[in-house]
Amino acid sequence: MKAFCISDNTDTVMGMRLAGIEGVVLHERTEILQKLDELIANENIAIILMTTKTIERVGDVVSDYKLNLPKPLIVEIPDRHGSGNIGETIDSYISEAIGVKL
């Protein structure tokens, strides 16, 4: 089982490659969705790491995949600037899943 990174900047992908995780830099919604579908179809991919900005571009699809697909695990990671409030994102996912505002 492997992990793969979808990022919006080269620094994150280079850092992941140093850790042994392959990745790609994508900016357009259609590119990201195409790669995401390709990775989901690949039986060897267990974890997909996505930067905050890439998830923002395809958030509706990622939320659906997280709720309905057993594999792979899709994880949001901050970019090198630390942008995004992942804690708030997790709260919103939980609230959406259980129907109670946290």
Side-chain angles (χ1 to χ4, degrees), residues 28-94:
E28 300 298 321
R29 178 179 169 86
T30 54
E31 294 176 315
I32 296 167
L33 289 175
Q34 182 179 3
K35 188 62 175 182
L36 196 55
D37 289 339
E38 178 186 318
L39 292 170
I40 288 170
N42 186 339
E43 291 293 322
N44 293 325
I45 301 296
I47 301 171
I48 300 173
L49 304 170
M50 297 179 71
T51 56
T52 302
K53 289 183 182 179
T54 57
I55 285 197
E56 286 174 358
R57 289 187 179 101
V58 294
D60 55 331
V61 176
V62 170
S63 293
D64 181 54
Y65 286 165
K66 283 184 172 187
L67 292 173
N68 297 312
L69 295 178
K71 166 179 148 348
L73 176 65
I74 300 173
V75 180
E76 181 177 350
I77 59 172
D79 62 9
R80 68 185 174 104
H81 302 292
S83 63
N85 294 324
I86 293 177
E88 291 176 14
T89 304
I90 292 170
D91 285 348
S92 70
Y93 286 143
I94 293 170

